[in-house]
Amino acid sequence: MSPRIAPVLQTKRLLLRPWRADDAPRPGQERDEISERFMPANAQPGPAMPWDQWFARRQRLTDSGEIVCWCIADAGTDEPLGDILLFGFDENIRGNAELGYWLHTNARGHGYVDEAVEEVVRWAFEQGGVTRLHAGTDTDNIASQNVLRRAGFRQWGNDRANWTRMDGTASDGTFFELLVSDDRDAQRAVPPPTLQTDRVWLRPFCTRDGERMTQVQADPITRLWFNSEPRTVAFNRERAAQRSLIDRERWGIWWAICAPGSDELAGGIGIQNIENGEAEIGYWMHPDARGQGLMTAALREITRWAFAEGGFRHLAVQVADGNAASVRVALGADYRPVGAWHQREVLGDGRVVDLLAFDRVP
Ligand SMILES: CC(C)(COP(=O)(O)OP(=O)(O)OC[C@H]1O[C@@H](n2cnc3c(N)ncnc32)[C@H](O)[C@@H]1OP(=O)(O)O)[C@@H](O)C(=O)NCCC(=O)NCCS
């Protein structure tokens, strides 16, 4: 036996300590649909692996040095909240390890995993002899991806049908890595700044925007100009959670647009296709919020922020020929017409039209 000894670690609200025989899931801590869908088999105690077996297996893997694991416990009450572990040590290359975690259903939504990941990453790099951490998630598991992004992990890829659900079926996987040499603070995903003028309020997206996003997508005018189909509310809640963090390499920087004094989603605006300080701005408005000058105000403010604080040097807006309201928005925010691509845009009704280009520089 050559166990890896996990030290007891303490954070503001948590105690990371060894699992104990009396930590069996309490009432209200049964495995739920999210665990069934997103966790590999045997990762969490449940019907297929009852607590006693799970605990014995963890003891065995700890003794053989295959894993280092902690019970995430409430620092005040010592009650178990979830699990965090390192495994796959030295796979492919020395210093490599994989990070895994789960929270009981009744412990989610408090940022506990962020706090535990922070401490375990610190320990792994400073004391655990680890130089490269990686983690994988189901591609649909946005909550977990956001944990990794906030911790400074970088997404390196997606693999199709490479993730095994608890029931043994395959789904797509999304994979992250973090090196000890990375500038972790610079890599941490953060929400876009909240921006406010007397005409408009711009805030990060959040899951409750999913319902209004779905209504926007069902609107015939949106479907015409974006040539798109409506998605489900569940999909859009996840999408909103994902867009709540900046990712300049993927979706860019997105804001939820609200009328001053209201928190209700009126529309969305994003800086996307970012490269070399250049980007394209896209936007859409809920039908019940159009025609109040909100989008023009939003585009003006995003443009101001992008040049003053976002580090951009060129911004473009592209509008399908015929979309008069959108052209008014671009011109209203002082974008300049620069020409048109012929027959470049396919509309929702199958027509192919010119794509008008507008741009601005600082
Ligand atoms: C384009 C869109 C975002 C505008 O949002 P909005 O909040 O209504 O925009 P604003 O109120 O700031 O400005 C709308 C302008 O268009 C004008 N307008 C609205 N409907 C119009 C129409 N059918 N024909 C001509 N002008 C129109 C308004 O009078 C206003 O112009 P003004 O500022 O000169 O008075 C919204 O119509 C929308 O979501 N459309 C569907 C999605 C889309 O087309 N996105 C852009 C793709 S490039």
Side-chain angles (χ1 to χ4, degrees):
M1 296 202 318
S2 48
R4 291 172 193 265
I5 307 297
V8 174
L9 302 172
Q10 174 115 36
T11 71
K12 228 167 100 196
R13 297 177 296 169
L14 306 172
L15 194 64
L16 308 182
R17 58 157 175 82
W19 282 99
R20 288 193 308 254
D22 63 354
D23 284 331
R26 318 292 195 234
Q29 296 191 329
E30 293 80 15
R31 229 160 54 182
D32 68 339
E33 184 262 336
I34 292 179
S35 295
E36 303 284 337
R37 212 169 125 211
F38 292 146
M39 298 289 301
N42 301 337
Q44 197 178 343
M49 178 163 278
W51 163 255
D52 291 348
Q53 279 177 39
W54 184 88
F55 180 64
R57 180 168 181 270
R58 280 304 181 84
Q59 301 278 83
R60 209 165 55 239
L61 293 170
T62 299
D63 284 348
S64 63
E66 285 167 74
I67 68 169
V68 172
C69 74
W70 291 266
C71 167
I72 304 174
D74 184 299
T77 63
D78 201 34
E79 276 295 288
L81 304 169
D83 176 51
I84 185 161
L85 78 163
L86 298 170
F87 59 106
F89 288 97
D90 300 328
E91 229 168 67
N92 293 334
I93 183 157
R94 240 183 70 181
N96 201 7
E98 184 162 352
L99 173 71
Y101 44 75
W102 50 260
L103 282 181
H104 283 306
T105 38
N106 61 357
R108 296 184 192 148
H110 302 282
Y112 290 146
V113 160
D114 281 37
E115 209 169 305
V117 165
E118 202 55 38
E119 186 56 15
V120 166
V121 168
R122 188 201 60 74
W123 178 81
F125 285 156
E126 288 179 13
Q127 281 147 307
V130 173
T131 52
R132 178 181 188 275
L133 278 169
H134 63 114
T137 73
D138 185 294
T139 294
D140 290 340
N141 191 355
I142 303 300
S144 182
Q145 291 162 24
N146 281 358
V147 166
L148 295 168
R149 290 180 196 287
R150 284 190 294 263
F153 280 73
R154 285 172 58 166
Q155 182 182 329
W156 61 259
N158 285 312
D159 249 355
R160 289 186 302 155
N162 186 29
W163 183 258
T164 314
R165 295 196 187 99
M166 208 169 266
D167 66 3
T169 59
S171 64
D172 296 346
T174 295
F175 299 90
F176 294 81
E177 67 191 1
L178 177 66
L179 303 185
V180 67
S181 54
D182 281 343
D183 182 352
R184 196 147 80 87
D185 283 327
Q187 281 179 202
R188 282 180 197 277
V190 293
T194 296
L195 301 171
Q196 191 148 18
T197 74
D198 52 355
R199 310 286 307 268
V200 69
W201 181 40
L202 299 153
R203 61 160 172 82
F205 271 96
C206 56
T207 48
R208 66 174 181 282
D209 295 328
E211 205 136 306
R212 301 259 304 161
M213 288 164 73
T214 310
Q215 293 165 11
V216 175
Q217 293 160 0
D219 156 54
I221 292 176
T222 308
R223 293 178 66 167
L224 173 70
W225 297 118
F226 284 135
N227 188 19
S228 61
E229 294 290 318
R231 315 295 295 250
T232 63
V233 173
F235 176 93
N236 282 319
R237 287 174 65 85
E238 295 295 321
R239 173 58 63 86
Q242 188 178 52
R243 300 297 193 261
S244 72
L245 296 175
I246 295 174
D247 190 326
R248 287 180 174 243
E249 285 167 28
R250 290 186 174 75
W251 50 84
I253 313 173
W254 278 86
W255 284 267
I257 302 171
C258 301
S262 162
D263 184 51
E264 187 177 67
L265 181 80
I269 185 163
I271 303 177
Q272 49 192 3
N273 303 333
I274 299 172
E275 208 174 345
N276 295 326
E278 299 170 31
E280 189 195 325
I281 300 198
Y283 45 77
W284 43 263
M285 195 55 103
H286 191 287
D288 72 15
R290 289 181 193 154
Q292 302 165 27
L294 274 178
M295 192 55 84
T296 307
L299 181 58
R300 295 189 80 94
E301 178 59 9
I302 293 308
T303 305
R304 182 203 64 74
W305 178 86
F307 289 141
E309 290 165 64
F312 291 90
R313 55 171 187 80
H314 185 271
L315 294 173
V317 171
Q318 298 179 25
V319 182
D321 193 11
N323 190 349
S326 187
V327 169
R328 294 298 307 161
V329 169
L331 295 175
D334 297 331
Y335 280 70
R336 169 187 73 148
V338 287
W341 282 276
H342 293 139
Q343 306 286 297
R344 197 182 172 192
E345 193 78 342
V346 183
L347 303 183
D349 61 7
R351 276 185 297 140
V352 181
V353 297
D354 290 356
L355 187 60
L356 313 178
F358 301 82
D359 78 354
R360 258 192 77 171
V361 292

